[in-house]
């Protein structure tokens, strides 16, 4: 991204780009849900529906050398970071051409080329890794930043507290991004945390923090810009809480007994895609044709990705035990 | 090595010092290496292994950590993925359980889960074993548990050569390696070549050749087993003693060759008997050498009890020379 790092860029093309990236994630995942019911995608599938503004607001601001650590709800992060839709889709199918050779699946997208250090399916498990990645960067006098995404459920884990303390103590360039969607599976924030103002917790570790409306991609981007700028200046960690909401079930196995439909509907109206589109329309910054074109382009990319995943080959069973250890001379 | 070196090139050294020399050497050889753990710096290490290294290498490379086993072990995983060669020290195997998530769910899985894109060249060292009357939260031998996990390698240096030589080889390995140092060995002293270097970490070693029975062991139990073999020798029993050295992978070839020769085996393992590494080795012998055996495979393991505090009970709970000799004689029908 060009332009002054500390100023939000409200140009029309930029806004359309943000919209397109969010739609791209949304439609990709809609397709994934469909493929799940067709049993093309198996296992756990956690959708990011409603939370797209977070990944889209933060990740494009990173440089190539910056590093990303994410959770099992990471399809959006992977796509925005530059993992091709084809290899992500093939991974969900479990095919060899997937970004993790099919061995990871939906929850474990990895990509060395884009410094994408994985979907981690242990709640809180990615935070210590992020600290270590940043420590390595610091010890080798590199200038990169490590961004670590996690849900508010992770805040109750010991690894969260250990990692914040280590990052602050050792002054490591980590951007902690808490995607607070108010529920950890069926457990509402209010019944799991004594202090529900998550970003306030960062103060215990003397980490600068900010809370932002995670449904507003422009606000997320502006906050992330400030955060990254601060980290680049100080070399110290920063904590960004994005208040958001997940519209769909936690994963595909979830009867959603813990919240009522009216609540979900209320949040849907505040959805990040809805919101940006309405704003662009109100300000005459988007033409219906342009929206149609975005949908068509994304639709074509998805169709290609599905075709690729369908045609991709399976890892031969003879290779089952490969890649447990490094292979000499291979 | 010790045998071939000239007299003046041999030094008197403790196991603790041998480990320290290995760490010092690694820090000098490779700028990517650093040591991180609780009290490794200013305190000098809970077993005094890293004493003096802080002054020599500074706080960046001899990095004291807070009491956050999972946090700093995970940080070691991340740093290794990003190109460093961290040595993480966990005070004891009991405390390593607080880092088990990072060891099993991160270090051991990432190469496979990422389709071979990321490796974790990390070394984790920790103390293990009973004998210091530290009771039931500081004395266990859980290395056999760790040996259950594909994706990591597990080493148990029992000799000065291995204490000095395994670390560098482990650091050169592209995958995570756990090194278990038995607490009763730290004060053991002996002679070691001054120019002792790295050693292989793949093969078991025959520490005492013999014809009548194979005694298979590792770590702190090696010395008890060698002593038992000497006792047996006075009764005309010629025991072969195998030091596993690596608990994962296991060197089946050396074990089976020995059993094929002696036709009898007893496994000595300080872990609890049920579900133990000894059980695994016994089963491999049954799978690969059943028809060569002249007697059932025997085991000397720890009693099924948390390690107790009083000395007589602690000693009764773990393998000792008398139990090992008795098990060997039983296998020979001479009980
Ligand atoms: C250590 C651990 N405990 C429990 C789980 C099961 N689990 C998976 S996701 C989840 C909820 C996590 O909520 P949150 O961190 O808020 O993220 P979200 O799913 O809302 O994105 C739980 C309990 C797990 N994967 N890891």
């Amino acid at each position: 991204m060009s332009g002054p790092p500390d100023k939000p860029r409200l140009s029309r093309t930029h806004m359309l780009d943000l919209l397109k990236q969010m739609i791209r994630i949304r439609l990709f995942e809609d397709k994934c849900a469909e493929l799940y019911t067709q049993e093309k995608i198996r296992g756990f599938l956690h959708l990011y529906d409603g939370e797209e503004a977070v990944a889209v607001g933060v990740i494009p601001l990173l440089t190539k050398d910056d590093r990303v650590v994410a959770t099992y709800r990471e399809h959006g992060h992977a796509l925005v970071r530059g993992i091709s839709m084809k290899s992500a889709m093939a991974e969900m199918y479990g095919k060899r051409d997937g970004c993790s050779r099919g061995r990871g699946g939906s929850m474990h997208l990895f990509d060395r080329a884009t410094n994408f250090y994985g979907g981690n399916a242990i709640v809180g498990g990615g935070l210590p890794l992020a600290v270590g990645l940043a420590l390595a960067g610091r010890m080798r006098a590199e200038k990169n930043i490590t961004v670590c995404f996690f849900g508010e459920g992770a805040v109750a884990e010991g690894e969260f507290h250990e990692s914040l303390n280590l990052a602050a103590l050792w002054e490591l360039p980590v951007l902690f991004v808490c995607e607070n969607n108010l529920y950890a599976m069926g457990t509402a924030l209010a019944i799991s945390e004594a202090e529900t103002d998550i970003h306030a917790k960062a103060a215990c570790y003397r980490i600068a923090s900010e809370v932002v409306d995670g449904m507003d991609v422009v606000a997320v981007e502006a906050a992330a810009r400030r955060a990254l700028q601060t980290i680049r200046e100080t070399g110290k960690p920063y904590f960004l809480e994005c208040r958001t909401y997940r519209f769909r079930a936690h994963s595909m196995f979830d009867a959603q007994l813990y919240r009522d439909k009216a609540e979900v509907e209320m949040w849907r109206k505040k959805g990040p895609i809805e919101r940006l589109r309405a704003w662009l329309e109100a300000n005459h910054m988007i033409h219906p044709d342009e929206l149609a074109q975005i949908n068509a382009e994304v639709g074509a990319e998805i169709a290609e990705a599905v075709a690729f995943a369908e045609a991709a080959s399976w890892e031969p069973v003879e290779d089952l035990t490969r890649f447990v250890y490094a292979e000499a001379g291979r | 090595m010790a045998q071939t070196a000239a007299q003046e090139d041999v030094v008197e050294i403790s196991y603790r010092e041998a480990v320290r020399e290995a760490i010092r050497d690694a820090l000098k050889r490779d700028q990517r290496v650093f040591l991180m753990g609780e009290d490794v710096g200013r305190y000098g290490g809970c077993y005094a292994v890293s004493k003096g290294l802080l002054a020599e290498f500074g706080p960046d490379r001899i990095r004291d950590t807070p009491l956050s086993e999972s946090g700093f072990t995970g940080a070691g995983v991340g740093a290794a993925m990003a190109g460093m060669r961290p040595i993480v020290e966990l005070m004891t195997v009991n405390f390593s359980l607080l880092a088990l998530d990072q060891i099993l769910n991160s270090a051991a899985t990432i190469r496979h889960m990422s389709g071979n894109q990321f490796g974790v060249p990390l070394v984790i060292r920790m103390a293990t074993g009973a004998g210091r009357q530290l009771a039931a939260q500081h004395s266990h031998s859980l290395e056999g548990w760790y040996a259950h996990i594909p994706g990591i390698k597990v080493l148990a240096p029992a000799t000065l050569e291995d204490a000095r030589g395994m670390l560098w080889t482990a650091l050169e390995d592209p995958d995570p390696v756990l090194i278990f140092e038995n607490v009763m060995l730290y004060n053991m002293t002996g002679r070691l070549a001054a120019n002792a270097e790295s050693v292989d970490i793949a093969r078991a070693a025959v520490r005492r050749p013999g014809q009548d029975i194979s005694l298979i062991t590792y770590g702190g139990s090696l010395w008890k087993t060698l002593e038992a073999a000497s006792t047996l020798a006075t009764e005309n029993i010629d025991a072969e003693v195998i030091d596993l050295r690596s608990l994962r992978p296991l060197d089946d070839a050396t074990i089976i060759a020995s059993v094929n020769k002696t036709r009898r085996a007893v496994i000595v393992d300080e872990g609890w008997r049920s579900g133990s590494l000894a059980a695994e080795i016994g089963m491999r012998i049954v799978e690969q050498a059943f028809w060569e055996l002249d007697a059932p495979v025997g085991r000397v393991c720890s009693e099924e009890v948390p390690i107790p505090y009083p000395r007589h009970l602690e000693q009764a709970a773990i393998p000792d020379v008398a139990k090992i000799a008795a098990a060997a004689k039983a296998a020979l029908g001479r009980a």
Side-chain angles (χ1 to χ4, degrees):
Chain A
M1 304 281 295
S2 53
D6 51 345
K7 294 232 177 62
R9 293 162 62 244
L10 292 173
S11 80
R12 201 178 85 89
T13 30
H14 181 57
M15 304 296 272
L16 287 179
D17 182 51
L18 293 177
L19 183 68
K20 180 173 180 183
Q21 298 210 55
M22 291 196 292
I23 290 176
R24 183 167 172 258
I25 298 171
R26 178 75 57 90
L27 297 185
F28 172 81
E29 289 201 319
D30 285 350
K31 188 62 172 184
C32 291
E34 188 187 320
L35 292 164
Y36 195 85
T37 59
Q38 294 170 21
E39 304 194 349
K40 297 281 189 184
I41 297 174
R42 310 303 304 265
F44 280 140
L45 180 69
H46 307 88
L47 302 180
Y48 200 44
D49 193 356
E51 308 184 36
E52 296 90 344
V54 180
V56 172
V58 175
I59 293 177
L61 301 178
L62 304 178
T63 68
K64 193 177 133 297
D65 293 333
D66 292 337
R67 300 181 169 120
V68 179
V69 177
T71 71
Y72 46 86
R73 199 181 296 289
E74 88 287 34
H75 312 145
H77 311 77
L79 291 182
V80 182
R81 185 57 179 164
I83 295 182
S84 80
M85 198 183 271
K86 284 181 180 174
S87 69
M89 187 61 92
E91 187 61 33
M92 310 252 213
Y93 270 64
K95 297 287 184 79
R96 181 173 49 187
D97 303 295
C99 57
S100 306
R101 289 185 78 103
R103 282 170 155 78
S106 156
M107 300 191 285
H108 305 300
L109 306 178
F110 282 84
D111 186 41
R112 179 174 270 290
T114 58
N115 280 315
F116 197 80
Y117 284 80
N120 199 311
I122 303 299
V123 172
L127 283 94
L129 287 195
V131 168
L133 292 166
L135 175 63
R138 158 65 48 83
M139 292 183 81
R140 312 176 101 185
E142 295 165 355
K143 292 274 172 268
N144 48 24
I145 290 175
T146 301
V147 182
C148 183
F149 295 90
F150 52 91
E152 87 292 342
V155 168
E157 294 282 3
E159 289 188 327
F160 169 88
H161 297 276
E162 294 185 7
S163 300
L164 258 64
N165 183 49
L166 287 174
L169 186 70
W170 292 343
E171 302 192 351
L172 301 177
V174 183
L175 173 56
F176 294 100
V177 182
C178 179
E179 305 180 302
N180 178 2
N181 63 14
L182 298 175
Y183 291 91
M185 291 182 66
T187 302
L189 178 58
I191 62 168
S192 69
E193 285 294 308
E195 171 56 87
T196 55
D197 186 3
I198 305 255
H199 88 290
K201 294 172 195 281
C204 311
Y205 301 104
R206 297 175 173 269
I207 294 178
S209 73
E210 190 172 341
V211 55
V212 66
D213 180 353
M215 291 299 189
D216 179 351
V217 68
V218 176
V220 173
E221 186 183 60
R225 225 182 264 283
R226 281 189 293 276
L228 292 166
Q229 183 66 24
T230 307
I231 297 172
R232 292 199 204 284
E233 278 165 17
T234 63
K236 295 182 188 174
Y238 196 99
F239 191 98
L240 184 60
E241 177 191 352
C242 302
R243 297 213 171 131
T244 180
Y245 197 81
R246 116 177 106 65
F247 297 157
R248 292 194 186 238
H250 165 73
S251 74
M252 304 303 276
F253 304 100
D254 172 8
Q256 299 192 64
L257 304 172
Y258 49 84
R259 61 184 187 184
D260 39 76
K261 293 213 165 67
E263 180 185 304
V264 181
E265 278 320 304
M266 188 268 286
W267 275 96
R268 262 193 195 282
K269 294 202 185 83
K270 301 200 270 184
I273 296 176
E274 278 296 304
R275 180 162 170 173
L276 180 57
R277 202 190 63 203
W279 186 86
L280 287 166
E281 282 167 358
N283 290 282
H284 308 291
M285 286 169 79
I286 189 167
H287 192 273
D289 290 351
E290 287 172 314
L291 195 58
Q293 195 189 333
I294 288 175
N295 282 318
E297 281 172 15
V298 170
E301 191 186 5
I302 292 169
E304 245 183 87
V306 173
F308 177 81
E310 286 283 342
S313 46
W314 300 103
E315 186 88 297
V317 174
E318 300 78 78
D319 286 350
L320 170 67
T321 57
R322 286 184 66 191
F323 315 129
V324 176
Y325 299 98
E327 300 176 353
R330 253 177 131 148
Chain B
M1 272 223 157
Q3 295 92 322
T4 55
Q7 192 66 27
E8 62 268 31
D9 295 326
V10 174
V11 289
E12 184 78 11
I13 194 170
S14 70
Y15 183 99
R16 170 183 292 108
E17 289 160 346
V19 177
R20 184 185 306 144
E21 278 314 302
I23 298 171
R24 175 183 281 129
D25 185 33
L27 287 159
K28 282 193 192 148
R29 276 163 93 156
D30 189 340
Q31 277 303 311
R32 299 172 303 175
V33 172
F34 66 102
L35 176 71
M36 155 164 80
E38 292 157 8
D39 284 315
V40 297
R42 289 150 189 90
Y43 189 92
C46 63
Y47 285 102
V49 167
S50 50
K51 208 167 110 195
L53 296 181
L54 175 65
E56 195 173 343
F57 296 98
D60 254 18
R61 298 185 73 202
I62 304 295
R63 185 172 286 265
D64 277 322
T65 66
L67 293 154
S68 306
E69 287 81 6
S70 197
F72 67 77
T73 303
V77 174
M81 287 171 83
M84 300 298 283
R85 291 293 179 275
I87 305 169
V88 166
E89 176 176 310
L90 291 164
M91 284 184 166
T92 81
V93 67
N94 286 78
F95 311 156
S96 80
L97 300 184
L98 282 84
L100 194 51
D101 168 46
Q102 289 298 331
I103 297 172
L104 172 52
N105 287 320
S106 299
T109 59
I110 279 172
R111 179 180 296 284
H112 190 80
M113 203 161 68
S114 71
N116 206 27
Q117 293 182 83
F118 295 103
V120 183
L122 167 69
V123 171
I124 303 175
R125 299 174 35 250
M126 66 188 95
T128 187
R132 291 176 165 250
Q133 292 194 252
L134 299 178
Q137 292 181 331
H138 287 74
S139 306
H140 290 140
S141 291
L142 304 178
E143 52 276 5
W145 270 13
Y146 283 102
H148 183 61
I149 304 171
I152 59 177
K153 296 182 179 175
V154 178
L155 306 180
T159 64
L160 296 173
E161 284 81 3
D162 283 350
R164 174 68 181 83
M166 279 182 166
L167 181 73
W168 179 252
T169 319
L171 282 165
E172 284 192 307
D173 197 282
D175 292 304
V177 180
L178 272 54
I179 302 181
F180 288 87
E181 297 161 7
N182 186 287
V183 288
M184 298 312 288
L185 297 180
Y186 282 127
N187 289 333
M188 176 180 81
T189 55
R191 292 150 65 79
L192 181 70
N195 61 353
E197 278 211 15
S198 56
V199 296
D200 87 275
I201 56 170
R203 303 297 308 271
V206 177
R207 298 292 183 203
R208 182 188 194 283
Q211 297 298 324
D212 298 336
I213 186 166
S214 302
L215 304 179
I216 301 159
T217 188
Y218 68 89
S221 299
L222 172 66
W223 303 99
K224 297 176 188 173
T225 307
L226 285 168
E227 203 182 319
S230 303
T231 312
L232 292 167
T234 63
E235 301 178 43
N236 279 327
I237 297 171
D238 185 19
E240 176 147 303
V241 176
I242 294 181
D243 173 8
L244 292 169
R245 301 179 67 247
S246 167
L247 310 187
R248 185 181 190 97
L250 281 170
D251 177 9
D252 286 10
T254 300
I255 297 169
I256 300 301
S258 174
V259 173
N260 284 344
K261 178 177 68 175
T262 64
R263 298 175 173 270
R264 289 177 167 83
V266 168
I267 305 144
V268 184
D269 173 5
E270 202 176 309
W272 290 298
R273 185 185 195 90
S274 302
S276 59
L277 186 73
E280 173 64 27
I281 294 166
M283 194 63 205
R284 288 188 190 208
I285 292 170
V286 167
E287 285 168 340
Q288 299 174 53
F290 181 77
W291 302 109
E292 308 301 323
L293 290 173
D294 283 346
V297 175
R299 280 194 279 171
V300 181
C301 299
S302 281
E303 297 297 326
E304 311 266 335
V305 60
I307 300 294
Y309 162 67
R311 182 164 172 78
H312 69 295
L313 292 183
E314 180 184 44
Q315 290 304 318
I318 63 178
D320 66 17
V321 174
K323 288 186 214 171
I324 299 167
K329 285 200 264 181
L332 284 151
R334 290 175 50 179

